Amino acid sequence: MQTNFTDFQLEDPTLARVDSILRRCIHCGLCTATCPTYVVLGDERDSPRGRIYLMKQLFEQGEVTPTITRHIDRCLSCLSCVTTCPSGVDYMHLVDMARARIETKAHRPLGERSLRWFLRKVLPYRSRFRFVLFFGSMARPLRGLFEAVGLKRVAASLALVPPRLPRLKLRKPKDLIRTDERRIRRVALMLGCVQEVMQPSINRAAIRLLKRNGVDVVIVKDEACCGALTHHLGHDDEALASARHNVDAWTAAMREGPFDAILITASGCGTMIKDYGHLLARDRGYAERASQVSALARDITEFIEEVGMTTPLMWTSIKVAYHSACSLQHGQRVEIEPRTLLSQAGFTVLEVPEGHICCGSAGTYNILQPQLSAELRDRKLANVASVKPDVVATGNIGCINQLRAGSAVPVVHTVELLDWATGGPVPAGLEPLKSKIHPIQNLVEMATV
Ligand code: SF4
Ligand code: SF4
């Protein structure tokens, strides 16, 4: 793509980076076919190519128009276009820079600004989010009323609140620090913010799974939110502060012994942490340590597949539809590992048609763009239903909440199934499937009779 930045503009490192990304686009339009918003809306301005043109206008002319804001806001940051693009256009960092620029200049209505402020100030903090979730659970039965009076975003938010809040009490992270003499590896497991409040059982399943595989698990008590939520809302100052905080926390913890990996069970967070090295590349005090942290960051399925999983203790006829979260398949390019592990654990893995298309969760997208998000969720659920699974497995809490809000079959995290198959408890909601599992010991006895 031809660009028209002046020499003066190109002295700005951000604009120089934007220029180099824009120039890679050859307008071929292949990305439009795999873009969820273009597939649903059919408007070129809601396609990657159309948005690239809008971002060119945004950066070259320095103006933030309502049209630019509307179509960039509608982008899910699902990165499906990135894995499709034959020319290597770095759309992820381009749209991140555009969002940051829009946030400094856009004139949003007061309600919109307030909602965005609320999301930034609540979701990344466990105690605040837990407090809000408590009131959300009480207001949940009223979501139909909110929908009827036109408060669609409130209704969409309440639909994501679990009918019953998790009973597992949050324990102080230091209480969770484990050591294991048999250890073959030592890792830090990131608890995260939203996931740890909404479904703490995921990280407990991950800890059991890792320990069963001889891995020493450390919870670094000073860790904070990864920063992805504020980053995607265009507030890079807050996102980078979170990134620096975590780099400090993890590097301090490594003084007591190195980590073989920093493991993440929410793939949206994993994509962000793997990008710390890039985001802090111009920060002399953090660049080197941030790139070390990024190099250590792994999705839990990548790591378990590498160290090898213990033999499953049960035989099962359970059919699992694997929903590949965008942040995992497009953001981190981790596609084979979760499927391989689920198969090794004895489950029958089913491929969901249109697996590359986002479920509409996308961080806070399901709150900020409730209509589009619901359309994508329903499309995803129809595709899931077409393969007739017993359960849906995925690797991101955002997708779990999004799909659960409309799914007829249970939706769980991949590690919960792996933990169950290798000796852990039955994941919540899967009790009716117990008739489909048979302990391997019983099968051996049956074979020898
Ligand atoms: S990130 Fe997703 S929604 Fe945004 S332009 Fe790319 S494919 Fe479309
Ligand atoms: S596929 Fe890549 S090169 Fe082609 S239009 Fe899309 S972003 Fe540009």
Side-chain angles (χ1 to χ4, degrees):
M1 174 180 287
Q2 189 182 35
T3 57
N4 299 301
F5 290 102
T6 63
D7 290 344
F8 179 71
Q9 282 178 307
L10 292 176
E11 284 175 21
D12 176 342
T14 299
L15 293 183
R17 176 85 184 109
V18 166
D19 181 61
S20 74
I21 296 173
L22 291 173
R23 281 176 174 272
R24 290 199 77 100
C25 180
I26 53 171
H27 326 265
C28 66
L30 286 175
C31 52
T32 55
T34 60
C35 171
T37 53
Y38 183 73
V39 167
V40 169
L41 299 167
D43 184 333
E44 174 76 14
R45 294 169 301 177
D46 285 311
S47 77
R49 184 173 59 183
R51 291 187 176 113
I52 287 170
Y53 274 107
L54 292 173
M55 289 188 271
K56 174 175 157 27
Q57 183 189 340
L58 163 73
F59 287 109
E60 279 182 350
Q61 295 165 24
E63 44 173 58
V64 177
T65 63
T67 303
I68 292 174
T69 304
R70 185 180 326 115
H71 295 288
I72 299 300
D73 281 355
R74 280 190 195 156
C75 171
L76 295 136
S77 278
C78 68
L79 309 181
S80 179
C81 50
V82 175
T83 46
T84 305
C85 178
S87 188
V89 173
D90 183 2
Y91 181 91
M92 177 172 106
H93 290 120
L94 183 64
V95 80
D96 285 345
M97 289 185 280
R99 289 191 203 280
R101 186 65 57 110
I102 287 169
E103 274 326 289
T104 59
K105 296 192 171 181
H107 298 289
R108 297 188 188 278
L110 180 63
E112 174 84 22
R113 270 186 286 141
S114 306
L115 177 60
R116 286 170 175 264
W117 179 89
F118 177 81
L119 294 172
R120 277 172 31 230
K121 298 300 174 190
V122 171
L123 296 188
Y125 304 92
R126 280 184 216 147
S127 51
R128 294 180 201 174
F129 181 46
R130 197 170 172 74
F131 183 73
V132 168
L133 203 57
F134 173 73
F135 289 102
S137 68
M138 289 197 287
R140 193 176 191 275
L142 303 175
R143 65 185 193 281
L145 183 68
F146 286 113
E147 179 95 43
V149 297
L151 295 172
K152 292 192 187 324
R153 285 168 163 179
V154 178
S157 308
L158 292 176
L160 299 170
V161 175
R164 273 182 295 167
L165 292 184
R167 292 188 175 193
L168 197 55
K169 240 182 121 191
L170 280 181
R171 294 147 78 189
K172 285 184 190 151
K174 66 178 176 164
D175 297 335
L176 288 165
I177 292 176
R178 302 279 197 277
T179 55
D180 190 329
E181 293 136 27
R182 299 175 295 109
R183 76 184 179 97
I184 53 170
R185 307 275 178 108
R186 182 173 186 268
V187 300
L189 178 74
M190 186 191 201
L191 293 184
C193 46
V194 169
Q195 175 179 281
E196 185 59 13
V197 173
M198 294 196 85
Q199 206 180 327
S201 58
I202 293 173
N203 282 322
R204 304 312 177 271
I207 291 169
R208 284 192 298 270
L209 187 64
L210 288 163
K211 287 188 65 63
R212 208 173 288 131
N213 287 280
V215 179
D216 199 3
V217 183
V218 175
I219 307 296
V220 177
K221 65 176 179 163
D222 290 331
E223 68 166 37
C225 166
C226 67
L229 281 167
T230 47
H231 186 50
H232 292 140
L233 287 169
H235 285 261
D236 278 359
D237 47 346
E238 293 171 25
L240 293 182
S242 294
R244 290 188 188 97
H245 181 100
N246 284 332
V247 169
D248 282 339
W250 284 321
T251 47
M254 277 192 271
R255 284 189 209 114
E256 291 169 24
F259 295 139
D260 295 299
I262 296 170
L263 300 185
I264 301 111
T265 50
S267 60
C269 310
T271 307
M272 177 74 181
I273 295 163
K274 286 182 177 182
D275 203 36
Y276 277 3
H278 173 88
L279 293 169
L280 293 171
R282 281 192 245 147
D283 185 329
R284 283 197 195 154
Y286 281 88
E288 193 180 336
R289 288 183 297 143
S291 70
Q292 283 167 356
V293 163
S294 290
L296 286 171
R298 312 289 297 278
D299 183 75
I300 187 154
T301 56
E302 280 182 281
F303 184 79
I304 295 283
E305 212 261 345
E306 186 185 306
V307 297
M309 190 172 58
T310 52
T311 312
L313 301 179
M314 64 189 204
W315 173 86
T316 175
S317 56
I318 292 175
K319 291 180 286 178
V320 179
Y322 177 67
H323 163 60
S324 197
C326 295
S327 43
L328 205 49
Q329 64 168 321
H330 303 304
Q332 300 182 46
R333 315 252 172 148
V334 175
E335 296 188 64
I336 295 169
E337 293 86 343
R339 293 172 167 91
T340 304
L341 289 171
L342 286 167
S343 295
Q344 285 174 1
F347 299 101
T348 303
V349 181
L350 306 173
E351 287 302 321
V352 179
E354 291 192 342
H356 60 285
I357 295 279
C358 181
C359 67
S361 166
T364 55
Y365 193 91
N366 43 12
I367 297 171
L368 294 168
Q369 302 282 343
Q371 269 168 298
L372 254 178
S373 168
E375 203 163 328
L376 288 167
R377 182 197 62 211
D378 294 347
R379 188 179 178 115
K380 179 64 68 182
L381 287 173
N383 278 316
V384 166
S386 73
V387 297
K388 299 187 174 59
D390 297 307
V391 58
V392 181
T394 187
N396 192 44
I397 185 67
C399 308
I400 292 174
N401 291 333
Q402 172 81 347
L403 296 178
R404 263 186 196 158
S407 176
V409 292
V411 185
V412 297
H413 194 288
T414 307
V415 294
E416 293 183 285
L417 290 180
L418 301 180
D419 175 47
W420 182 26
T422 53
V426 185
L430 298 199
E431 292 81 6
L433 296 182
K434 274 161 82 177
S435 61
K436 293 194 168 201
I437 65 162
H438 311 281
I440 283 187
Q441 186 60 31
N442 290 2
L443 289 179
V444 172
E445 282 165 12
M446 281 161 62
T448 50
V449 169

